[in-house]
Amino acid sequence: MKKNETIRVGISVGDINGIGIEIILKTFEDPRMLELCTPLIFASNKILSIHKKELNIHTQTHGVDSVSKCVPNKVNLVNVWKEQVEVEFGKETALGGKYALVSLQAATNALKQNDIDVLVTAPINKHNIQSEDFKFSGHTEYLEANLEGESLMILMTDELKIGLITGHIPIQKVAETITPELIECKVNLMYNALVQDFKISKPKIAVLGLNPHCGDNGVIGEEDDTVIRPTLEKLQADDKLIYGPYSADSFFGSGAYKKFDGILAMYHDQGLAPFKTLSFGNGVNFTAGLSKIRTSPDHGTAFEIAGKGEASNNSFKEALYTAMDVFKNRSEYNELTKNKLRTRK
């Protein structure tokens, strides 16, 4: 990105039968958004026209056939398919999954080629998007396979950041998946993200336990004492402020989470249940650890309200803001550390 240019935000539209396009269009109804970024929506004129008409939204878009023709101060719509596609609001269909993937693939390719600076993804349906080209449990896993780095899913607001040691896996596989190496990897990813992406120079990180009451000294499971605690002690020896394991049942209700810059949960629902209770509708899903920046809203396709004009765009707008903030912070961090002098030992 050249100096004085706005950040180029690529946007994949998600399932065409869900609320993704609605929250995108609502966000850019406000012309002031174009002072902050140059949006590039990967979809088709025809599909957006259907949504605009049904939802009575009048956001003006600038249709182009390639990323190279996008311009600042416009809501750019990159036509990545030309055919007419049937929209069935609120329904899970094969076409909904097919074109969600077309949009995601085009946006990801643009991200890899530096045609966009960041990617914001609208919600997909994890079932109907499955195909020969998409055999992943979600956006995070797809992007990890297509970009450089190892991913860490972080659900976040300004006050709360929760990362996941394990992500989209069945609960019965959680315990066997948690190893010292995995914990160390995810803790370091969280630490690095807090430093480079959120400008926290010496972050404090809490790690939750796996078993009820962290196993109660082995009475309800041994993993907290044999796997998690020794790994955290090793990380603490590296002069990092890593604490835990903490019993998950009281950690959030007691307000203990407010004392930390980042929190790591052992599995998906252990982290997302309290997060969505505290922040649903205003949170952001940030994929840390990768070579490129991606965010998304903290909700799904919401088929039950699709096409009714009832969807809130708050979380999508927060995802947009977060992507831009992280881009600026990471760029500044990379510039400051690029020519860092080596110290003599």
Side-chain angles (χ1 to χ4, degrees), residues 102-174:
V102 171
S103 176
L104 178 60
Q105 287 174 324
T108 303
N109 288 336
L111 188 65
K112 291 166 69 174
Q113 294 166 11
N114 295 317
D115 291 326
I116 56 176
D117 298 310
V118 300
L119 171 62
V120 181
T121 60
I124 58 172
N125 179 288
K126 293 180 176 64
H127 178 250
N128 68 3
I129 199 173
Q130 297 298 317
S131 66
E132 287 300 314
D133 296 321
F134 193 99
K135 295 181 179 181
F136 303 95
S137 52
H139 277 118
T140 302
E141 294 78 11
Y142 172 83
L143 291 167
E144 184 178 54
N146 282 275
L147 300 171
E148 296 176 6
E150 293 184 79
S151 70
L152 171 67
M153 184 190 299
I154 298 178
L155 275 293
M156 58 164 286
T157 63
D158 289 340
E159 297 80 24
L160 177 61
K161 295 175 179 63
I162 303 179
L164 303 180
I165 299 291
T166 62
H168 293 123
I169 63 171
I171 196 74
Q172 65 182 10
K173 294 184 178 180
V174 168

Side-chain angles (χ1 to χ4, degrees), residues 7 36 293 323-333:
I7 295 172
L36 304 176
I293 295 161
M324 292 188 286
D325 287 343
V326 169
F327 180 79
K328 292 173 186 175
N329 291 343
R330 190 179 293 186
S331 298
E332 181 180 320
Y333 178 86

Side-chain angles (χ1 to χ4, degrees), residues 170-205:
I171 196 74
Q172 65 182 10
K173 294 184 178 180
V174 168
E176 66 187 55
T177 302
I178 295 171
T179 62
E181 293 78 16
L182 180 64
I183 295 170
E184 190 169 349
C185 173
K186 298 297 185 180
V187 168
N188 285 328
L189 287 172
M190 172 65 90
Y191 187 92
N192 292 336
L194 292 171
V195 171
Q196 72 169 6
D197 296 332
F198 299 103
K199 302 176 75 171
I200 302 171
S201 59
K202 193 71 173 176
K204 289 177 63 179
I205 298 173

Side-chain angles (χ1 to χ4, degrees), residues 204 206 246-247 250-261 263:
K204 289 177 63 179
Y246 292 100
S247 181
S250 59
F251 186 80
F252 293 95
S254 67
Y257 70 92
K258 297 177 182 177
K259 300 176 183 178
F260 297 92
D261 300 302
I263 300 150

Side-chain angles (χ1 to χ4, degrees), residues 21-29 48 51-52 57 59:
I21 294 175
E22 177 181 349
I23 59 178
I24 294 167
L25 293 172
K26 283 182 174 178
T27 296
F28 292 105
E29 275 188 310
L48 259 69
H51 282 256
K52 287 180 186 180
I57 297 176
T59 305

Side-chain angles (χ1 to χ4, degrees), residues 7 26 44 87 98 146 163 200 212 226 229 268 281 310 315 335:
I7 295 172
K26 283 182 174 178
S44 80
V87 174
K98 175 182 176 180
N146 282 275
I200 302 171
T226 61
R229 199 179 306 277
H268 186 277
E310 299 174 4
S315 183
E335 188 64 28

